[in-house]
Amino acid sequence: MRDTEKAFIALRNTLSLYTSISDSTWQAFMTICKFKSVTKHSLLYKIGYTPSSYSYIYKGLVRCFSCDGKGNEYNKVFFDEGKFPGSMTALLTSSPSILSLEALEDTLIIEINFIAYRKLMLKNDELKLFQIYYLEKNWLLAKESREIEFVQNDATARYLCFIDEYSQLTDRLPQYHIASYLGITPTQLSRIKKNI
Amino acid sequence: MRDTEKAFIALRNTLSLYTSISDSTWQAFMTICKFKSVTKHSLLYKIGYTPSSYSYIYKGLVRCFSCDGKGNEYNKVFFDEGKFPGSMTALLTSSPSILSLEALEDTLIIEINFIAYRKLMLKNDELKLFQIYYLEKNWLLAKESREIEFVQNDATARYLCFIDEYSQLTDRLPQYHIASYLGITPTQLSRIKKNI
DNA sequence: TTAACTTATCAACATATGTAAATGAATTCC
DNA sequence: GGAATTCATTTACATATGTTGATAAGTTAA
């Protein structure tokens, strides 16, 4: 079986984790999707651009980061297989994103056209349910706990949280990207690891 | 005119900032609202409880904070006149809140029953629009920029952001609440103020 | 394979911030 | 009005983290 087919099967399985997806819903959904391959280090989208699609990761790894004016980057989330990287905010408000997405490995994705998805979702009850469950689980709750985790913990505790949350990614990610996620320098992360 | 009436007029004006509110919408909306007075230092709701209403502040000041296990509190947002304090997350997901709300002054609010509001909103186009605009402006965008502000800036820069965003509140808030909002101790805030 | 580059670790020093305790000003309470 | 409490500031010291530069291991490219 080719990657394209396998990717679509994986996508349907992921949707089904949230709510049941009938064959007819799936047929309609597939027509607004496009399989795509992006090479390591390329950007799925850049700060300042208004994205027109979600992505679904079949294979690979993507980081989401913001930038300040001085050339520093700050990692916010990592997305691996089965996740939907993207700026929900930029999509919902059709405004330029304040975030960028970069592939950290050669990555296979399925692009889901955002406008077509909205149209389809608004007249399909299964997709409406998916949308609600997905938003609640992956955005509202995740954002709230990440914020609290960041505010309440020191860097060592945040590192332990990171290992807990991203155990399967700790060796796919370079140290300096982890450090940036934790809000510290690679030097400091090195010290923290030594102290544990 | 009594406070109750003035509060309801203010509430209608606030709704109208987001979208137009017809008389019939307003009549229906008013029936799910209740005027209430809360004294300084009392809690609108506590961590662990599932809130059943939004509030609207007609007069007064409320802080939203989280707690860790060691008795420390962390301020997240301040709400003054015209704002809707509450944990959107807890309401949307009907889950126990991980946040508390405390009145920092004697405060006059209007409580809006959440379940009744959902019902009304889902069959009223004006309220649906209000809901979307309010969510986008006050939750998605605000949360995203607050997170970036916190991650990218040092404490001095965050203090300047705070003054900018909350200029009208800087002298209604005690230093130690501002310090907690900035993620530093009152001692450090004192030093920062001296250095500016 | 060698050379060039990237990455992780470490050391030395600088800076930001926390902690604890003291002081004085402001506020609250009887 | 005076006593008690709360709050902001300051000092001295401790700790966490940043910065810079060195080194060595690992990776990539010629």
Side-chain angles (χ1 to χ4, degrees):
Chain A
M1 198 164 29
R2 284 170 314 140
D3 276 338
T4 312
E5 292 167 56
K6 285 199 244 171
F8 274 90
I9 290 173
L11 173 53
R12 184 168 181 180
N13 285 338
T14 301
L15 295 180
S16 303
L17 291 179
Y18 293 89
T19 186
S20 69
I21 299 291
S22 66
D23 284 341
S24 65
T25 296
W26 178 245
Q27 288 306 321
F29 186 81
M30 272 177 48
T31 64
I32 62 168
C33 292
K34 210 169 83 186
F35 181 77
K36 232 177 138 179
S37 161
V38 293
T39 57
K40 186 173 176 173
H41 292 139
S42 62
L43 294 177
L44 276 72
Y45 62 73
K46 250 210 274 234
I47 288 179
Y49 289 84
T50 305
S52 63
S53 59
Y54 290 108
S55 299
Y56 168 78
I57 302 188
Y58 163 60
K59 177 105 199 51
L61 185 54
V62 167
R63 77 180 171 111
C64 171
F65 63 99
S66 66
C67 302
D68 61 18
K70 305 160 214 142
N72 302 309
E73 298 180 352
Y74 303 86
N75 288 336
K76 290 186 47 148
V77 210
F78 300 111
F79 300 96
D80 64 345
E81 285 81 11
K83 305 294 193 316
F84 295 90
S87 165
M88 188 56 65
T89 311
L91 282 169
L92 283 183
T93 64
S94 285
S95 57
S97 177
I98 46 177
L99 304 170
S100 296
L101 289 179
E102 180 197 357
L104 296 178
E105 302 173 352
D106 289 338
T107 297
L108 302 176
I109 63 176
I110 293 176
E111 267 187 8
I112 304 157
N113 181 281
F114 179 67
I115 293 178
Y117 171 73
R118 290 297 278 195
K119 245 197 214 150
L120 185 59
M121 183 264 288
L122 288 172
K123 59 183 188 190
N124 180 299
D125 283 335
E126 289 176 342
L127 290 179
K128 258 188 239 158
L129 274 186
F130 167 76
Q131 180 77 6
I132 291 170
Y133 294 143
Y134 179 77
L135 267 184
E136 288 182 357
K137 180 149 182 285
N138 289 289
W139 282 91
L140 290 170
L141 293 176
K143 255 188 185 319
E144 197 116 299
S145 25
R146 158 94 165 131
E147 188 181 340
I148 288 183
E149 171 194 322
F150 204 92
V151 170
Q152 293 188 177
N153 295 329
D154 62 17
T156 304
R158 290 204 299 280
Y159 180 58
L160 295 174
C161 284
F162 169 81
I163 292 177
D164 203 45
E165 190 184 353
Y166 285 107
S167 51
Q168 78 287 11
L169 288 186
T170 29
D171 24 296
R172 280 166 80 184
L173 287 168
Q175 294 282 107
Y176 61 91
H177 276 324
I178 298 176
S180 165
Y181 175 84
L182 298 173
I184 56 178
T185 56
T187 308
Q188 184 60 12
L189 178 52
S190 210
R191 284 191 280 238
I192 287 173
K193 283 169 67 178
K194 203 170 59 172
N195 290 338
I196 296 184
Chain B
M1 195 166 28
R2 285 171 313 140
D3 275 339
T4 312
E5 292 166 56
K6 284 199 244 169
F8 273 89
I9 290 172
L11 174 52
R12 183 169 182 178
N13 285 338
T14 301
L15 295 180
S16 303
L17 291 179
Y18 293 89
T19 187
S20 68
I21 300 291
S22 65
D23 285 341
S24 65
T25 296
W26 178 245
Q27 288 306 320
F29 186 82
M30 273 176 49
T31 64
I32 63 169
C33 291
K34 210 169 82 186
F35 182 78
K36 233 177 136 178
S37 160
V38 293
T39 57
K40 186 173 178 174
H41 291 139
S42 62
L43 293 177
L44 277 71
Y45 61 74
K46 249 211 273 237
I47 288 181
Y49 289 83
T50 305
S52 62
S53 59
Y54 291 108
S55 299
Y56 168 79
I57 303 186
Y58 162 60
K59 176 108 198 53
L61 185 54
V62 168
R63 77 181 170 111
C64 171
F65 63 100
S66 66
C67 303
D68 61 19
K70 305 157 213 145
N72 302 309
E73 298 180 349
Y74 303 86
N75 289 335
K76 289 186 47 146
V77 212
F78 301 111
F79 300 95
D80 63 345
E81 284 80 10
K83 304 294 191 318
F84 295 89
S87 165
M88 189 55 65
T89 311
L91 281 170
L92 283 183
T93 64
S94 284
S95 56
S97 177
I98 45 177
L99 303 169
S100 295
L101 290 179
E102 181 197 356
L104 296 179
E105 301 173 351
D106 289 339
T107 296
L108 303 176
I109 64 175
I110 293 177
E111 266 188 10
I112 305 156
N113 181 281
F114 179 68
I115 293 178
Y117 171 73
R118 288 297 276 195
K119 246 196 213 149
L120 185 59
M121 183 264 288
L122 288 172
K123 61 183 187 192
N124 180 298
D125 283 334
E126 289 176 342
L127 290 179
K128 258 187 242 161
L129 273 186
F130 167 76
Q131 180 75 5
I132 291 170
Y133 293 145
Y134 179 77
L135 267 183
E136 288 181 356
K137 179 148 182 289
N138 289 291
W139 282 91
L140 289 169
L141 293 177
K143 255 190 183 317
E144 196 115 299
S145 28
R146 158 93 164 130
E147 188 182 339
I148 288 183
E149 170 193 323
F150 204 91
V151 169
Q152 294 188 177
N153 294 330
D154 63 16
T156 305
R158 290 204 299 279
Y159 179 58
L160 296 173
C161 284
F162 168 81
I163 293 176
D164 203 46
E165 191 183 355
Y166 285 107
S167 51
Q168 78 288 11
L169 288 186
T170 30
D171 24 296
R172 280 165 80 183
L173 287 168
Q175 296 279 108
Y176 61 91
H177 276 324
I178 297 176
S180 165
Y181 175 84
L182 298 173
I184 54 178
T185 57
T187 308
Q188 184 59 12
L189 178 52
S190 210
R191 284 190 280 238
I192 287 172
K193 283 169 67 178
K194 204 172 59 174
N195 288 339
I196 296 183

